[in-house]
Amino acid sequence: GQQLNQSPQSMFIQEGEDVSMNCTSSSIFNTWLWYKQDPGEGPVLLIALYKAGELTSNGRLTAQFGITRKDSFLNISASIPSDVGIYFCAGRPLGGSNYKLTFGKGTLLTVNP
Amino acid sequence: DAGVIQSPRHEVTEMGQEVTLRCKPISGHNSLFWYRQTMMRGLELLIYFNNNVPIDDSGMPEDRFSAKMPNASFSTLKIQPSEPRDSAVYFCASRLGGTGPGELFFGEGSRLTVL
């Protein structure tokens, strides 16, 4: 089935640093989503992207829908301790079921105060 | 506003026992999903309901798993008999609309441990 390659798998950074993570696919996607999962909680939607090239911000978070439609990026600026968690990319392949999301394996972010 | 509500949050049971997980979707959402999360396989879609009707159950692992949605505000996922390899976190999620860009809202999950 469809797979998303999310990288890096984990990151250890100092508070105040910027963070970048990305997600790639071998095929074209028409939707890219970024979720965050806190320990013991369910994933929470951060940003949704629907057009190639789209750049969307949510506070210190910025995500982009790659122009090739095969990738997406999430940046976090000036990280703080509460940014700790697992960040998942997810998407819908072009021509796929509109309800079925493909999820990446996640990026575990640790922020040292 | 209440989010997706799942119960129990934690369940520890012995192999062979029946497990029932419960979900109340967000009011007004007409699509409901059950996902399973493990370290090895990540998030996997088990079953999808639209307007209380199961649309896609291709992700249900085997006959030991069953899901129902008797009305718009309640769904259950049942495992009978349970096995140790069923240990995982099970998430329920809901969404407004079977089509269109409405996105998933997840519950807090039910962590299942089968001994």
Side-chain angles (χ1 to χ4, degrees):
Chain A
Q2 197 62 248
Q3 291 199 357
L4 292 180
N5 297 311
Q6 188 171 349
S7 65
Q9 285 188 320
S10 61
M11 303 181 73
F12 296 84
I13 63 170
Q14 292 296 126
E15 182 176 0
E17 291 183 355
D18 296 343
V19 174
S20 291
M21 59 190 79
N22 69 79
C23 208
T24 61
S25 170
S26 59
S27 59
I28 291 173
F29 275 48
N30 61 21
T31 302
W32 285 100
L33 308 169
W34 286 92
Y35 284 85
K36 182 194 177 195
Q37 185 174 19
D38 290 329
E41 304 292 331
V44 174
L45 181 65
L46 299 174
I47 294 177
L49 304 161
Y50 301 107
K51 294 181 181 179
E54 183 178 355
L55 185 71
T56 298
S57 293
N58 178 4
R60 293 178 296 104
L61 278 61
T62 301
Q64 184 164 24
F65 191 136
I67 57 174
T68 66
R69 295 194 282 173
K70 294 183 178 181
D71 56 11
S72 180
F73 305 87
L74 176 69
N75 296 316
I76 305 173
S77 63
S79 59
I80 59 178
S82 62
D83 291 333
V84 164
I86 303 176
Y87 291 79
F88 290 98
C89 63
R92 294 191 181 90
L94 184 66
S97 303
N98 74 303
Y99 61 84
K100 190 171 281 190
L101 285 178
T102 300
F103 281 86
K105 290 293 181 67
T107 295
L108 174 61
L109 177 64
T110 302
V111 180
N112 295 317
Chain B
D1 288 344
V4 176
I5 299 172
Q6 292 186 245
S7 65
R9 290 294 311 275
H10 302 274
E11 175 97 4
V12 180
T13 190
E14 293 187 344
M15 183 174 64
Q17 295 298 306
E18 178 179 294
V19 173
T20 299
L21 308 178
R22 299 172 178 80
C23 174
K24 176 178 168 49
I26 293 173
S27 178
H29 283 192
N30 61 349
S31 294
L32 184 139
F33 304 75
W34 282 100
Y35 280 85
R36 178 170 66 177
Q37 185 179 41
T38 60
M39 289 291 291
M40 290 295 294
R41 300 173 69 90
L43 277 161
E44 303 174 276
L45 177 63
L46 299 178
I47 188 167
Y48 158 58
F49 291 88
N50 184 242
N51 292 324
N52 312 338
V53 176
I55 303 299
D56 182 353
D57 65 355
S58 60
M60 295 286 264
E62 48 199 272
D63 291 345
R64 298 183 298 106
F65 285 69
S66 63
K68 294 182 180 179
M69 192 165 187
N71 57 62
S73 59
F74 184 67
S75 177
T76 59
L77 177 67
K78 186 174 292 187
I79 308 172
Q80 166 62 20
S82 58
E83 297 182 2
R85 60 192 167 120
D86 302 330
S87 298
V89 182
Y90 290 82
F91 287 104
C92 178
S94 70
R95 171 186 166 187
L96 179 62
T99 60
E103 299 309 339
L104 290 179
F105 291 84
F106 285 83
E108 294 183 319
S110 293
R111 180 176 293 277
L112 174 64
T113 302
V114 184
L115 303 175

